[in-house]
Amino acid sequence: FFFLYFPETHGISFRIQISVKDQLDKDILLKLLFHLPVSYPSTLPDISVNSDQLTRAQCMDVKEKLLEQAKKHLSEPMVHDLILWVQQHLKDVIKQSATVCNEKTTLSKGTEDSIWMLLLHLDHMRAKAKYVKTVEKWASNLRLTGRLMFMGKIILILLQGDRGSIKEYLILQKTSKVDVDSSGKKCKEKMMRVLCETEVQSQHKRFQTFEVKEYSTPEELQKEFETAGLTTLFSESVPPLLK
């Protein structure tokens, strides 16, 4: 496994890849991302599960079952136990999940190779300079491209990259102390909304870089989306924020 991120104040994030047999004795490659907060193990880790051979629903089921197991080990180191558990019980989880899964085939593939897109809305940034720097650093580390967009009070983060990196970004955004509260103490992002998370289609243009941009009018912001072939995304996501 390898470490992704290791600042003293934010805990540790690392990814582990393991091969597990399914009920047909086929090898399933599981990619597990663990984020251990500073208060671990008295706080549960954040876990992200990805696999090319499993559907999104199955990955979510595995994650839920792992979190259930984690609760049984609260206040003791648990990552090793969780990995052993998933190696022994993956077959059962997949079997249960398969019967209830009828997702669209495009989503079921859930391939890591395809490029994904994420649009986030942030309510505010008190420590703006530090926050912006952090977002730029994460995007760079995870090889994500896109825009951090400011228009009036609206703050949007639009990201493109491989699906695993998008998931890892979301974990960092939710679990790291990225801002300060009204008393100046470091705090996590609690007011973030995911407006869209989807596979990039052929009509969408790829961003080549990650840039921070300010727009003075909604029309300027709309133009940025239109240039990227994202007119529909703009019309579905942004007008409600302008009200």
Side-chain angles (χ1 to χ4, degrees):
F1 65 86
F2 60 88
F3 287 100
L4 284 166
Y5 195 59
F6 199 156
E8 309 71 45
T9 49
H10 296 159
I12 307 168
S13 290
F14 55 89
R15 190 196 281 163
I16 295 173
Q17 296 202 101
I18 53 170
S19 186
V20 189
K21 299 274 186 208
D22 67 6
Q23 63 263 51
L24 302 172
D25 226 31
K26 278 201 291 218
D27 282 324
I28 302 273
L29 185 67
L30 274 189
K31 297 169 189 174
L32 306 171
L33 174 72
F34 288 92
H35 173 82
L36 311 183
V38 180
S39 49
Y40 171 85
S42 49
T43 309
L44 289 179
D46 271 291
I47 303 170
S48 167
V49 179
N50 279 296
S51 174
D52 292 351
Q53 294 107 315
L54 299 181
T55 64
R56 276 210 312 180
Q58 287 171 325
C59 286
M60 289 302 290
D61 284 345
V62 173
K63 175 185 165 172
E64 277 169 30
K65 293 284 189 286
L66 278 172
L67 285 170
E68 278 171 29
Q69 289 305 309
K71 285 175 189 161
K72 297 177 186 174
H73 294 281
L74 206 54
S75 79
E76 57 187 73
M78 63 185 81
V79 172
H80 182 63
D81 291 311
L82 294 179
I83 291 162
L84 289 178
W85 185 89
V86 83
Q87 285 174 318
Q88 290 162 3
H89 295 90
L90 184 72
K91 289 180 190 176
D92 308 328
V93 179
I94 294 174
K95 209 191 287 181
Q96 287 170 2
S97 179
T99 54
V100 293
C101 181
N102 61 352
E103 285 191 297
K104 290 180 194 153
T105 49
T106 50
L107 289 175
S108 312
K109 286 182 206 150
T111 53
E112 294 291 320
D113 306 332
S114 54
I115 299 300
W116 279 66
M117 178 167 62
L118 179 70
L119 181 63
L120 301 174
H121 172 245
L122 303 182
D123 188 69
H124 61 273
M125 285 183 181
R126 283 199 176 91
K128 184 175 173 181
K130 175 181 168 285
Y131 205 135
V132 168
K133 219 176 235 173
T134 305
V135 170
E136 286 180 309
K137 185 177 154 199
W138 288 343
S140 161
N141 288 351
L142 294 167
R143 293 202 202 84
L144 298 172
T145 60
R147 300 284 183 268
L148 169 52
M149 303 180 272
F150 295 93
M151 202 285 296
K153 288 187 175 175
I154 293 172
I155 307 168
L156 297 170
I157 302 176
L158 180 61
L159 296 168
Q160 292 177 345
D162 73 64
R163 194 170 175 204
S165 297
I166 292 275
K167 295 282 181 205
E168 282 164 31
Y169 180 92
L170 264 175
I171 287 181
L172 289 171
Q173 180 80 56
K174 286 175 185 168
T175 57
S176 306
K177 291 186 176 177
V178 281
D179 207 1
V180 295
D181 62 19
S182 51
S183 61
K185 273 199 200 134
K186 288 181 180 175
C187 66
K188 292 178 186 176
E189 177 56 72
K190 295 192 177 75
M191 307 282 282
M192 177 188 82
R193 284 194 303 141
V194 177
L195 300 179
C196 171
E197 186 181 351
T198 184
E199 202 167 345
V200 169
Q201 305 300 318
S202 52
Q203 71 270 25
H204 302 150
K205 294 198 175 54
R206 290 291 311 281
F207 290 108
Q208 298 307 309
T209 56
F210 183 81
E211 292 173 39
V212 181
K213 295 182 92 171
E214 307 241 357
Y215 308 84
S216 33
T217 64
E219 288 72 32
E220 274 183 30
L221 184 60
Q222 186 170 358
K223 207 175 218 171
E224 180 78 81
F225 277 79
E226 284 173 356
T227 308
L230 300 172
T231 310
T232 311
L233 179 62
F234 178 88
S235 59
E236 285 173 357
S237 307
V238 180
L241 305 174
L242 296 168
K243 284 171 187 165

